[in-house]
Amino acid sequence: MDPESRLSALRDFCAERLGPQLAARYVDLARPGFALTAAENPGEAAGHSRFGGRAMLEPGTPWPTCDGFPLSLIAVLDADTLSPWLGDVLPAGTGLLNFFCLDAESEQHDPVSYDLMNKYGHYEVEVSSVIPARFAHAVETDPPARSSVFEPIPWAAKPGFAFPDTWDPAWNGFDVGPDADDMARAMPGNYVENQLTEWSERPGALDSEDMAFGRPQFPTGSSPMVPFGKDPNRYHHLLQLASYEEWSIGGDGGWMHWAIPTDALRIGDFGQAVPTPDIW
């Protein structure tokens, strides 16, 4: 099913439970994305999308570092393979997106990385990087010494639409309609979700621990931790990862996220991407 047909079915589903006007406002919050799962065979893989492995970089691209210490390749998204579902979210020819982070937790981590993470913290741009590579020019690149390399897990990508979670600032100012009470106006996300029975049956709605694009989920009840003073509603979600057997972001647990200003995404300026993790 194409994106427009899937979105129309989702709108009809919501209209039956919310009424057409509230459903239309709710569905306007939906963003196209993908649920990522381990591909069971090569034919299911979404191009070169995968957790771990080696970076896919254009020759001559500098390896990203934090104070001179190399970051580790965490994931690759094959944006060219995913782009038909995303519409105008991505500029044409984005290619491959390499997601790097300072590995301070895995069994491979170098003690220096732990010191650097204590210096900067998980939310600072110094500990993360997103580097694009044109598909025709990208080559698998060996990492420098002291950078972790995780066993690659190719991803299958199920397309759909992601909605903001309950505490996302996307709900700020959301119109719940004239008949809603003060509690509904104060917590519009909860109000709408309570009205939508058979939540798991929403056609095309994404619900996954690992997700590309769409909108982030924050189990701690938080919201995207973008740089201080910036409006999170002006950022677009890039990638959400739960912990893997070889890798986690630290704390007692957590999900890693990357986000980027929407204006920067439209022109392919991935140097403005930032880490927005949810740590508990």
Side-chain angles (χ1 to χ4, degrees):
M1 187 181 291
D2 63 88
E4 286 302 318
S5 298
R6 185 73 60 87
L7 197 61
S8 178
L10 185 57
R11 188 178 292 109
D12 291 343
F13 175 90
C14 294
E16 292 178 2
R17 293 153 178 82
L18 301 173
Q21 293 182 341
L22 183 56
R25 292 193 291 273
Y26 175 62
V27 174
D28 279 346
L29 296 178
R31 287 181 175 175
F34 298 86
L36 302 174
T37 57
E40 295 184 1
N41 59 69
E44 292 183 356
H48 290 274
S49 299
R50 54 174 161 77
F51 168 81
R54 283 169 166 74
M56 299 288 291
L57 301 175
E58 296 185 28
T61 301
W63 192 276
T65 63
C66 175
D67 287 2
F69 183 87
L71 303 183
S72 297
L73 188 281
I74 305 299
V76 176
L77 286 181
D78 190 332
D80 288 350
T81 297
L82 303 178
S83 62
W85 182 262
L86 298 174
D88 61 356
V89 170
L90 281 170
T94 295
L96 304 170
L97 295 177
N98 296 268
F99 291 81
F100 295 87
C101 192
L102 186 65
D103 174 29
E105 295 291 334
S106 80
E107 292 184 358
Q108 300 181 50
H109 88 276
D110 187 293
V112 171
S113 67
Y114 190 81
D115 295 337
L116 288 169
M117 190 65 82
N118 284 335
K119 175 182 177 181
Y120 288 107
H122 293 82
Y123 301 94
E124 299 302 320
V125 295
E126 287 83 359
V127 304
S128 174
S129 184
V130 179
I131 300 180
R134 293 168 295 175
F135 181 81
H137 301 273
V139 294
E140 194 168 89
T141 304
D142 288 332
R146 307 167 82 187
S147 177
S148 303
V149 180
F150 303 107
E151 188 69 23
I153 301 175
W155 276 325
K158 178 183 177 181
F161 291 90
F163 290 86
D165 72 9
T166 302
W167 304 107
D168 195 296
W171 290 106
N172 294 346
F174 184 84
D175 181 6
V176 292
D179 299 327
D181 58 22
D182 290 341
M183 181 62 72
R185 299 182 196 286
M187 303 181 68
N190 274 336
Y191 173 75
V192 171
E193 290 182 8
N194 289 337
Q195 299 299 310
L196 284 172
T197 56
E198 301 159 341
W199 183 252
S200 62
E201 298 179 15
R202 292 171 299 162
L206 295 177
D207 184 14
S208 177
E209 291 188 356
D210 295 339
M211 190 181 304
F213 300 98
R215 288 186 180 274
Q217 298 176 1
F218 287 83
T220 61
S222 181
S223 62
M225 298 292 288
V226 299
F228 181 75
K230 301 295 185 180
D231 181 0
N233 287 315
R234 295 184 178 274
Y235 279 71
H236 202 97
H237 187 242
L238 292 175
L239 181 63
Q240 170 179 303
L241 291 182
S243 296
Y244 278 69
E245 182 177 353
E246 292 185 87
W247 171 84
S248 69
I249 65 172
D252 293 330
W255 290 0
M256 184 62 190
H257 303 268
W258 287 265
I260 187 173
T262 302
D263 290 343
L265 177 60
R266 287 173 178 158
I267 62 174
D269 183 5
F270 291 94
Q272 296 192 49
V274 297
T276 57
D278 189 33
I279 303 174
W280 56 85

